[in-house]
Amino acid sequence: MLKRNESLAFGRPFLITVIAIGYVLTAMVEIGVALLGRVPAFLQSFILSEDPIVLVVTACFQVVMGLALFQGWRIMWWVVIVSAYVSIGGYILDGLLGERWAWGGMLWNVIVLAYMNSRDVEAFFGREVYY
C-alpha cells in the first residue's frame, strides 16, 4: 500500500514543482534585464522596476521562494497564501481603475488559493489535513 506522498511526482505535487521552477526562471529574466540595462518592450507591463538594484533584490527573493517551495518549507505555504490575498486586493483596485490585466491576475490568484488549500499540497507543506 502506498503512503500519501508516494503517489506524488518527485515527492511533491506537480504544480508546486512548476511554480518553483517559474520563480527561478522569472529571477533569471530579471537578472537579464538588470544586466541589459533596459526593459525590452514586450516586458514593459510585467517588470516591477527598471532599477537594476531593485531587480537583483527581487530576483534573489524569487530564487529563495522557488527553492523553498521546491523543498516544501512550511512557512512558504503561508507566504503564498498571504501574497495571493494581497495580490487579489491590489488587482481589485487596479480593475476598478480600468487596468485590463487586473481581472486575469485576480482570477489566477483565486486559482492559486484553491490549489494551495488542496489536500495534497497542504500535506506536502506539513499542514495537518482533517477532511
Side-chain angles (χ1 to χ4, degrees):
M1 181 167 209
L2 291 175
K3 292 182 183 175
R4 183 115 182 96
N5 283 340
E6 287 180 1
S7 65
L8 302 174
F10 307 112
R12 76 184 55 78
F14 175 72
L15 289 179
I16 293 297
T17 304
V18 172
I19 294 167
I21 292 170
Y23 274 119
V24 173
L25 291 176
T26 302
M28 291 170 51
V29 168
E30 288 179 342
I31 294 293
V33 168
L35 292 175
L36 185 63
R38 64 178 184 81
V39 180
F42 69 95
L43 291 176
Q44 289 288 335
S45 297
F46 303 104
I47 295 293
L48 176 68
S49 172
E50 292 187 26
D51 183 13
I53 294 173
V54 172
L55 289 172
V56 169
V57 169
T58 305
C60 290
F61 179 69
Q62 287 181 339
V63 166
V64 169
M65 283 185 63
L67 293 175
L69 276 172
F70 195 78
Q71 293 177 355
W73 293 2
R74 182 179 288 188
I75 189 73
M76 286 312 296
W77 186 87
W78 286 105
V79 169
V80 171
I81 294 295
V82 169
S83 68
Y85 277 118
V86 169
S87 295
I88 287 172
Y91 284 131
I92 288 172
L93 290 175
D94 288 345
L96 293 174
L97 295 174
E99 178 64 43
R100 61 180 177 212
W101 291 94
W103 300 110
M106 184 177 60
L107 176 64
W108 171 254
N109 280 285
V110 168
I111 292 169
V112 166
L113 282 173
Y115 180 68
M116 292 302 286
N117 285 301
S118 70
R119 179 175 280 195
D120 287 340
V121 173
E122 285 189 5
F124 174 69
F125 285 101
R127 295 182 41 82
E128 294 184 33
V129 181
Y130 294 110
Y131 47 89

